Coordinates of all heavy atoms in Angstrom, one line a residue:
H125 N 32.3 -32.1 92.9 CA 33.1 -32.8 93.9 C 33.4 -32.0 95.1 O 33.2 -32.4 96.3 CB 34.4 -33.3 93.3 CG 35.3 -33.9 94.3 ND1 35.2 -35.0 95.0 CD2 36.5 -33.3 94.7 CE1 36.2 -35.2 95.8 NE2 37.0 -34.2 95.6
L126 N 33.9 -30.7 94.9 CA 34.2 -29.9 96.0 C 33.0 -29.5 96.8 O 33.1 -29.4 98.0 CB 34.9 -28.6 95.4 CG 36.3 -28.8 94.8 CD1 36.8 -27.6 94.1 CD2 37.3 -29.3 95.8
N127 N 31.9 -29.3 96.1 CA 30.6 -29.0 96.9 C 30.2 -30.1 97.8 O 29.8 -30.0 98.9 CB 29.5 -28.6 95.9 CG 29.6 -27.2 95.4 OD1 30.3 -26.3 96.0 ND2 29.1 -27.0 94.2
Q128 N 30.4 -31.3 97.2 CA 30.0 -32.5 98.0 C 30.9 -32.7 99.2 O 30.4 -32.9 100.4 CB 30.0 -33.8 97.1 CG 28.9 -33.8 96.1 CD 29.1 -34.9 95.0 OE1 30.0 -35.7 95.2 NE2 28.3 -34.8 94.0
V129 N 32.2 -32.6 99.0 CA 33.1 -32.9 100.2 C 33.0 -31.7 101.2 O 33.1 -32.0 102.4 CB 34.5 -33.1 99.8 CG1 34.6 -34.4 98.9 CG2 35.2 -31.9 99.1
K130 N 32.7 -30.5 100.7 CA 32.6 -29.4 101.7 C 31.3 -29.6 102.6 O 31.3 -29.4 103.8 CB 32.5 -28.1 100.9 CG 33.8 -27.6 100.4 CD 33.7 -26.5 99.4 CE 33.1 -25.2 100.0 NZ 33.1 -24.2 98.9
K131 N 30.2 -30.1 102.0 CA 29.0 -30.4 102.7 C 29.3 -31.5 103.7 O 28.9 -31.5 104.9 CB 27.9 -30.8 101.8 CG 27.3 -29.6 101.0 CD 26.2 -30.0 100.1 CE 25.7 -28.8 99.2 NZ 24.7 -29.2 98.3
V132 N 30.0 -32.6 103.3 CA 30.3 -33.7 104.2 C 31.2 -33.2 105.3 O 31.1 -33.5 106.5 CB 31.0 -34.8 103.4 CG1 31.6 -35.8 104.3 CG2 29.9 -35.5 102.5
G133 N 32.2 -32.4 104.9 CA 33.1 -31.8 105.9 C 32.5 -30.9 106.9 O 32.8 -30.9 108.1
A134 N 31.5 -30.1 106.5 CA 30.8 -29.2 107.4 C 30.1 -30.0 108.5 O 30.0 -29.5 109.6 CB 29.8 -28.4 106.6
A135 N 29.6 -31.2 108.1 CA 28.9 -32.0 109.1 C 29.8 -32.6 110.2 O 29.3 -33.0 111.2 CB 28.0 -33.1 108.4
T136 N 31.0 -32.8 109.8 CA 32.0 -33.4 110.7 C 33.1 -32.6 111.2 O 34.1 -33.0 111.8 CB 32.6 -34.7 110.0 OG1 33.2 -34.3 108.8 CG2 31.5 -35.7 109.7
G137 N 33.1 -31.3 110.9 CA 34.1 -30.4 111.3 C 35.4 -30.5 110.6 O 36.5 -30.2 111.1
K138 N 35.3 -30.8 109.3 CA 36.5 -31.0 108.5 C 36.6 -29.9 107.4 O 35.6 -29.5 106.8 CB 36.5 -32.4 107.8 CG 36.5 -33.6 108.8 CD 37.7 -33.5 109.7 CE 37.6 -34.7 110.7 NZ 36.5 -34.7 111.6
G139 N 37.8 -29.5 107.1 CA 38.1 -28.5 106.0 C 39.0 -29.1 105.0 O 39.6 -30.2 105.3
F140 N 39.1 -28.5 103.9 CA 39.9 -29.0 102.8 C 40.8 -27.9 102.2 O 40.3 -26.8 101.9 CB 39.0 -29.5 101.7 CG 38.1 -30.6 102.2 CD1 36.8 -30.2 102.7 CD2 38.4 -31.9 102.2 CE1 36.0 -31.2 103.2 CE2 37.6 -32.9 102.7 CZ 36.4 -32.5 103.2
L141 N 42.1 -28.1 102.1 CA 43.1 -27.1 101.8 C 43.7 -27.4 100.5 O 44.2 -28.5 100.2 CB 44.2 -27.2 102.9 CG 45.2 -26.1 103.0 CD1 44.6 -24.7 103.2 CD2 46.2 -26.4 104.1
G142 N 43.8 -26.3 99.7 CA 44.3 -26.4 98.3 C 45.7 -25.9 98.2 O 45.9 -24.7 97.8
L143 N 46.7 -26.7 98.6 CA 48.1 -26.3 98.5 C 48.9 -27.5 97.9 O 48.4 -28.6 97.8 CB 48.7 -26.0 99.9 CG 48.3 -24.7 100.5 CD1 49.0 -24.6 101.9 CD2 48.7 -23.5 99.7
G144 N 50.2 -27.2 97.6 CA 51.1 -28.3 97.1 C 51.7 -29.1 98.2 O 52.2 -30.2 97.9
M145 N 51.8 -28.5 99.4 CA 52.4 -29.2 100.5 C 51.8 -28.8 101.8 O 51.4 -27.6 101.9 CB 53.9 -29.0 100.5 CG 54.7 -29.6 101.7 SD 56.4 -29.7 101.4 CE 56.9 -30.3 103.1
W146 N 51.7 -29.7 102.8 CA 51.2 -29.4 104.1 C 52.1 -28.2 104.6 O 53.3 -28.3 104.6 CB 51.4 -30.5 105.1 CG 50.3 -31.4 105.2 CD1 50.2 -32.8 104.9 CD2 49.0 -31.1 105.8 NE1 49.0 -33.3 105.2 CE2 48.2 -32.3 105.7 CE3 48.4 -30.0 106.2 CZ2 46.9 -32.4 106.2 CZ3 47.0 -30.0 106.7 CH2 46.3 -31.2 106.6
P147 N 51.5 -27.1 105.0 CA 52.3 -25.9 105.4 C 52.9 -26.0 106.7 O 53.8 -25.2 107.0 CB 51.2 -24.8 105.3 CG 49.9 -25.4 105.6 CD 50.0 -26.8 105.0
D148 N 52.4 -26.9 107.6 CA 52.8 -26.8 109.0 C 53.0 -28.2 109.6 O 53.4 -28.3 110.8 CB 51.8 -26.1 109.8 CG 50.3 -26.6 109.6 OD1 50.2 -27.6 108.9 OD2 49.4 -26.1 110.3
K149 N 52.8 -29.3 108.9 CA 52.8 -30.6 109.5 C 54.2 -31.3 109.3 O 54.8 -31.2 108.3 CB 51.8 -31.5 108.9 CG 50.3 -31.0 109.0 CD 49.8 -31.1 110.4 CE 48.3 -30.7 110.4 NZ 48.1 -29.2 110.2
R150 N 54.6 -31.9 110.4 CA 55.8 -32.8 110.4 C 55.3 -34.2 109.9 O 54.1 -34.5 110.0 CB 56.4 -33.0 111.7 CG 56.9 -31.6 112.3 CD 57.3 -31.9 113.8 NE 56.2 -32.4 114.6 CZ 56.3 -32.9 115.8 NH1 57.5 -33.0 116.4 NH2 55.3 -33.3 116.5
R151 N 56.2 -35.0 109.4 CA 55.8 -36.4 109.0 C 55.1 -37.1 110.1 O 54.1 -37.8 109.9 CB 57.0 -37.2 108.5 CG 57.7 -36.8 107.2 CD 58.9 -37.7 107.0 NE 59.7 -37.2 105.8 CZ 60.8 -37.8 105.5 NH1 61.3 -38.7 106.2 NH2 61.5 -37.3 104.5
E152 N 55.7 -36.9 111.3 CA 55.1 -37.7 112.5 C 53.8 -37.2 112.9 O 53.1 -37.8 113.8 CB 56.1 -37.7 113.6 CG 56.6 -36.3 114.1 CD 57.9 -35.9 113.4 OE1 58.1 -36.3 112.2 OE2 58.7 -35.2 114.0
D153 N 53.3 -36.0 112.4 CA 52.0 -35.5 112.8 C 50.9 -36.2 111.9 O 49.7 -35.9 112.2 CB 52.0 -34.0 112.5 CG 52.9 -33.2 113.4 OD1 53.1 -33.6 114.5 OD2 53.3 -32.1 113.0
L154 N 51.3 -36.9 110.9 CA 50.3 -37.4 109.9 C 50.0 -38.8 110.1 O 50.8 -39.7 110.4 CB 50.9 -37.1 108.5 CG 51.1 -35.6 108.2 CD1 52.0 -35.4 107.0 CD2 49.8 -34.8 108.1
P155 N 48.7 -39.2 109.8 CA 48.3 -40.6 109.8 C 48.8 -41.3 108.5 O 49.2 -40.6 107.6 CB 46.8 -40.5 109.9 CG 46.5 -39.2 109.1 CD 47.6 -38.2 109.4
V156 N 48.7 -42.6 108.5 CA 48.9 -43.4 107.3 C 47.7 -44.2 107.0 O 47.2 -44.9 107.9 CB 50.2 -44.3 107.5 CG1 50.4 -45.2 106.3 CG2 51.4 -43.4 107.8
M157 N 47.2 -44.1 105.8 CA 46.0 -44.8 105.4 C 46.3 -46.3 105.3 O 47.4 -46.8 104.9 CB 45.5 -44.3 104.1 CG 45.1 -42.8 104.1 SD 43.7 -42.4 105.3 CE 44.7 -41.7 106.7
P158 N 45.3 -47.2 105.6 CA 45.5 -48.6 105.6 C 45.4 -49.3 104.2 O 44.6 -50.1 104.0 CB 44.4 -49.1 106.5 CG 43.3 -48.1 106.3 CD 43.9 -46.8 106.1
K159 N 46.3 -48.9 103.4 CA 46.4 -49.5 102.0 C 47.7 -50.2 101.9 O 48.8 -49.7 102.2 CB 46.3 -48.4 101.0 CG 45.0 -47.7 100.9 CD 44.9 -46.6 99.9 CE 45.0 -47.1 98.5 NZ 44.7 -46.1 97.4
G160 N 47.6 -51.5 101.5 CA 48.8 -52.3 101.4 C 49.9 -51.8 100.5 O 51.1 -51.9 100.8
R161 N 49.5 -51.2 99.4 CA 50.5 -50.6 98.5 C 51.3 -49.5 99.2 O 52.5 -49.4 99.0 CB 49.7 -50.0 97.3 CG 50.4 -49.1 96.3 CD 49.6 -48.6 95.2 NE 50.3 -47.9 94.2 CZ 50.0 -47.9 92.9 NH1 49.1 -48.6 92.5 NH2 50.7 -47.1 92.1
Y162 N 50.6 -48.7 100.0 CA 51.4 -47.6 100.6 C 52.4 -48.1 101.7 O 53.4 -47.5 101.9 CB 50.4 -46.6 101.3 CG 49.6 -45.9 100.2 CD1 48.3 -45.3 100.6 CD2 50.0 -45.7 98.9 CE1 47.6 -44.6 99.6 CE2 49.3 -45.0 98.0 CZ 48.0 -44.5 98.3 OH 47.3 -43.8 97.4
K163 N 52.0 -49.1 102.4 CA 53.0 -49.7 103.4 C 54.2 -50.1 102.7 O 55.4 -49.8 103.2 CB 52.4 -50.8 104.2 CG 53.3 -51.3 105.3 CD 52.7 -52.5 106.0 CE 53.7 -52.8 107.2 NZ 55.1 -53.0 106.8
I164 N 54.1 -50.8 101.6 CA 55.3 -51.3 100.8 C 56.1 -50.1 100.3 O 57.3 -50.1 100.5 CB 54.8 -52.2 99.7 CG1 54.2 -53.5 100.2 CG2 56.0 -52.4 98.7 CD1 53.5 -54.3 99.1
M165 N 55.4 -49.1 99.8 CA 56.1 -47.9 99.3 C 56.9 -47.2 100.4 O 58.0 -46.8 100.3 CB 55.2 -47.0 98.6 CG 54.6 -47.6 97.2 SD 53.4 -46.6 96.5 CE 54.3 -45.1 96.1
M166 N 56.2 -47.0 101.5 CA 56.8 -46.3 102.6 C 58.0 -47.0 103.2 O 59.0 -46.4 103.7 CB 55.8 -46.0 103.7 CG 54.8 -45.0 103.3 SD 53.6 -44.5 104.6 CE 54.7 -43.6 105.7
D167 N 58.0 -48.3 103.2 CA 59.1 -49.1 103.7 C 60.3 -49.0 102.7 O 61.5 -48.9 103.1 CB 58.7 -50.6 103.8 CG 57.8 -50.9 105.0 OD1 57.7 -50.0 105.9 OD2 57.2 -52.0 105.1
H168 N 60.0 -48.8 101.4 CA 61.0 -48.8 100.4 C 61.6 -47.4 100.2 O 62.8 -47.3 99.9 CB 60.4 -49.3 99.1 CG 61.4 -49.4 98.0 ND1 62.4 -50.3 97.9 CD2 61.5 -48.7 96.8 CE1 63.1 -50.2 96.8 NE2 62.6 -49.2 96.1
M169 N 60.8 -46.4 100.3 CA 61.2 -45.0 100.0 C 62.6 -44.6 100.6 O 63.4 -44.1 99.9 CB 60.1 -44.0 100.3 CG 59.0 -44.0 99.4 SD 59.4 -43.4 97.7 CE 57.8 -43.5 96.9
P170 N 62.8 -44.8 101.9 CA 64.0 -44.4 102.5 C 65.2 -45.1 102.0 O 66.4 -44.6 102.2 CB 63.8 -44.7 104.0 CG 62.3 -44.7 104.2 CD 61.8 -45.3 102.9
R171 N 65.1 -46.2 101.3 CA 66.2 -46.9 100.7 C 66.8 -46.2 99.5 O 67.9 -46.5 99.1 CB 65.8 -48.3 100.4 CG 65.3 -49.2 101.5 CD 64.7 -50.5 101.0 NE 63.9 -51.2 102.0 CZ 62.9 -52.0 101.7 NH1 62.7 -52.3 100.4 NH2 62.2 -52.6 102.7
V172 N 65.9 -45.4 98.8 CA 66.3 -44.9 97.5 C 66.3 -43.4 97.4 O 66.7 -42.8 96.4 CB 65.3 -45.5 96.4 CG1 65.5 -47.0 96.3 CG2 63.9 -45.2 96.8
G173 N 65.9 -42.7 98.5 CA 65.9 -41.2 98.4 C 65.6 -40.7 99.8 O 65.0 -41.4 100.6
S174 N 65.9 -39.4 100.0 CA 65.6 -38.8 101.4 C 64.3 -38.1 101.5 O 63.8 -37.8 102.6 CB 66.7 -37.8 101.7 OG 66.6 -36.7 100.9
L175 N 63.6 -37.9 100.4 CA 62.3 -37.1 100.4 C 61.1 -37.9 100.0 O 60.0 -37.3 99.9 CB 62.5 -35.8 99.6 CG 63.5 -34.8 100.0 CD1 63.6 -33.7 99.1 CD2 63.3 -34.4 101.5
G176 N 61.2 -39.2 99.7 CA 60.1 -40.0 99.2 C 58.9 -40.0 100.2 O 57.7 -40.0 99.8
L177 N 59.2 -40.0 101.5 CA 58.1 -40.0 102.5 C 57.4 -38.7 102.5 O 56.2 -38.6 102.7 CB 58.6 -40.4 103.9 CG 59.2 -41.8 104.0 CD1 59.7 -42.0 105.5 CD2 58.1 -42.8 103.7
D178 N 58.1 -37.6 102.3 CA 57.5 -36.3 102.1 C 56.5 -36.3 100.9 O 55.4 -35.8 101.0 CB 58.5 -35.2 102.0 CG 59.2 -34.9 103.3 OD1 58.6 -35.0 104.4 OD2 60.4 -34.6 103.3
M179 N 57.0 -36.9 99.8 CA 56.2 -36.9 98.6 C 54.9 -37.6 99.0 O 53.8 -37.2 98.6 CB 56.9 -37.7 97.5 CG 56.1 -37.9 96.2 SD 54.9 -39.3 96.2 CE 56.1 -40.6 96.1
M180 N 54.9 -38.8 99.7 CA 53.7 -39.5 99.9 C 52.8 -38.9 100.9 O 51.6 -38.8 100.8 CB 54.1 -40.9 100.4 CG 54.9 -41.8 99.4 SD 55.2 -43.4 100.0 CE 53.6 -44.1 100.1
L181 N 53.4 -38.3 102.0 CA 52.6 -37.9 103.2 C 52.2 -36.4 103.1 O 51.2 -36.0 103.7 CB 53.4 -38.2 104.5 CG 53.7 -39.6 104.8 CD1 54.6 -39.7 106.0 CD2 52.4 -40.4 105.0
R182 N 53.1 -35.6 102.5 CA 52.9 -34.1 102.7 C 52.7 -33.3 101.4 O 52.7 -32.1 101.5 CB 54.2 -33.6 103.4 CG 54.4 -34.2 104.7 CD 55.2 -33.2 105.7 NE 56.6 -33.2 105.4 CZ 57.5 -32.5 106.2 NH1 57.1 -31.8 107.2 NH2 58.8 -32.6 105.9
T183 N 52.4 -34.0 100.3 CA 52.2 -33.2 99.1 C 50.8 -33.5 98.4 O 50.2 -34.5 98.6 CB 53.2 -33.5 98.0 OG1 53.2 -34.9 97.6 CG2 54.6 -33.2 98.6
C184 N 50.4 -32.5 97.6 CA 49.2 -32.6 96.8 C 49.4 -32.0 95.4 O 50.2 -31.1 95.3 CB 48.0 -31.9 97.4 SG 47.1 -32.7 98.7
T185 N 48.8 -32.6 94.4 CA 49.0 -32.2 93.0 C 47.7 -32.0 92.3 O 46.6 -32.5 92.7 CB 49.9 -33.2 92.3 OG1 50.2 -32.7 91.0 CG2 49.2 -34.5 92.2
I186 N 47.8 -31.4 91.1 CA 46.7 -31.5 90.1 C 47.4 -32.1 88.9 O 48.5 -31.8 88.5 CB 46.2 -30.1 89.7 CG1 45.8 -29.3 90.9 CG2 45.0 -30.2 88.7 CD1 45.6 -27.8 90.7
Q187 N 46.7 -33.0 88.2 CA 47.2 -33.7 87.0 C 46.1 -33.7 86.0 O 44.9 -33.7 86.2 CB 47.6 -35.1 87.4 CG 48.8 -35.2 88.3 CD 49.1 -36.6 88.7 OE1 49.9 -36.9 89.7 NE2 48.6 -37.6 88.1
V188 N 46.6 -33.9 84.7 CA 45.7 -34.0 83.6 C 46.1 -35.2 82.7 O 47.3 -35.4 82.5 CB 45.8 -32.7 82.7 CG1 44.8 -32.8 81.6 CG2 45.5 -31.5 83.6
N189 N 45.1 -36.0 82.3 CA 45.3 -37.2 81.5 C 44.7 -36.9 80.1 O 43.6 -36.5 80.0 CB 44.6 -38.4 82.1 CG 45.1 -38.6 83.5 OD1 46.3 -38.4 83.9 ND2 44.2 -39.1 84.4
L190 N 45.6 -37.1 79.1 CA 45.2 -36.8 77.7 C 45.4 -37.9 76.8 O 46.3 -38.8 77.0 CB 46.0 -35.5 77.3 CG 45.7 -34.3 78.1 CD1 46.7 -33.2 77.7 CD2 44.3 -33.8 78.0
D191 N 44.7 -38.0 75.7 CA 44.7 -39.0 74.7 C 45.6 -38.7 73.5 O 46.1 -37.5 73.4 CB 43.3 -39.3 74.2 CG 42.4 -39.9 75.2 OD1 42.9 -40.8 75.9 OD2 41.2 -39.6 75.3
Y192 N 45.9 -39.7 72.7 CA 46.7 -39.5 71.5 C 46.1 -40.4 70.4 O 45.4 -41.4 70.7 CB 48.1 -39.9 71.7 CG 48.3 -41.2 72.5 CD1 48.4 -42.4 71.8 CD2 48.5 -41.2 73.9 CE1 48.5 -43.6 72.5 CE2 48.6 -42.4 74.6 CZ 48.7 -43.6 73.9 OH 48.8 -44.8 74.6
S193 N 46.4 -40.1 69.2 CA 45.7 -40.9 68.1 C 46.6 -42.0 67.5 O 46.1 -42.9 66.8 CB 45.3 -39.9 66.9 OG 46.5 -39.2 66.4
S194 N 47.9 -41.8 67.7 CA 48.9 -42.8 67.1 C 50.2 -42.7 67.9 O 50.4 -41.8 68.8 CB 49.1 -42.3 65.6 OG 49.8 -41.1 65.6
E195 N 51.1 -43.6 67.5 CA 52.4 -43.5 68.2 C 53.1 -42.2 67.9 O 53.7 -41.6 68.8 CB 53.3 -44.7 67.7 CG 54.6 -44.8 68.5 CD 55.3 -46.1 68.1 OE1 55.2 -46.6 67.0 OE2 56.0 -46.6 69.0
A196 N 53.1 -41.7 66.7 CA 53.7 -40.5 66.3 C 53.1 -39.3 67.1 O 53.8 -38.4 67.6 CB 53.6 -40.2 64.8
D197 N 51.8 -39.3 67.2 CA 51.1 -38.3 68.0 C 51.5 -38.3 69.5 O 51.7 -37.3 70.1 CB 49.6 -38.4 67.8 CG 48.8 -37.3 68.5 OD1 49.1 -36.1 68.3 OD2 47.7 -37.6 69.1
M198 N 51.5 -39.5 70.0 CA 52.0 -39.7 71.4 C 53.4 -39.1 71.6 O 53.6 -38.4 72.6 CB 51.9 -41.2 71.8 CG 52.4 -41.5 73.2 SD 54.2 -41.5 73.5 CE 54.7 -42.9 72.5
V199 N 54.3 -39.4 70.7 CA 55.6 -38.9 70.8 C 55.7 -37.4 70.8 O 56.4 -36.8 71.7 CB 56.5 -39.5 69.7 CG1 57.9 -38.9 69.6 CG2 56.7 -41.0 69.9

Side-chain angles (χ1 to χ4, degrees):
H125 168 71
L126 292 171
N127 285 334
Q128 290 169 9
V129 298
K130 284 165 65 177
K131 288 177 182 176
V132 168
T136 58
K138 301 300 180 295
F140 304 89
L141 188 62
L143 286 178
M145 179 164 172
W146 269 116
D148 54 359
K149 302 289 186 287
R150 302 171 300 168
R151 289 180 189 171
E152 53 267 35
D153 295 331
L154 297 168
V156 176
M157 298 298 104
K159 294 179 68 171
R161 170 179 183 146
Y162 293 157
K163 182 181 188 309
I164 291 168
M165 291 174 66
M166 289 185 68
D167 288 345
H168 183 67
M169 286 290 182
R171 303 171 193 155
V172 292
S174 68
L175 297 177
L177 294 179
D178 287 326
M179 179 276 290
M180 295 184 69
L181 298 172
R182 298 207 281 184
T183 66
C184 279
T185 185
I186 308 167
Q187 295 176 191
V188 182
N189 304 324
L190 298 173
D191 289 319
Y192 48 85
S193 61
S194 64
E195 186 171 30
D197 185 44
M198 180 280 293
V199 170

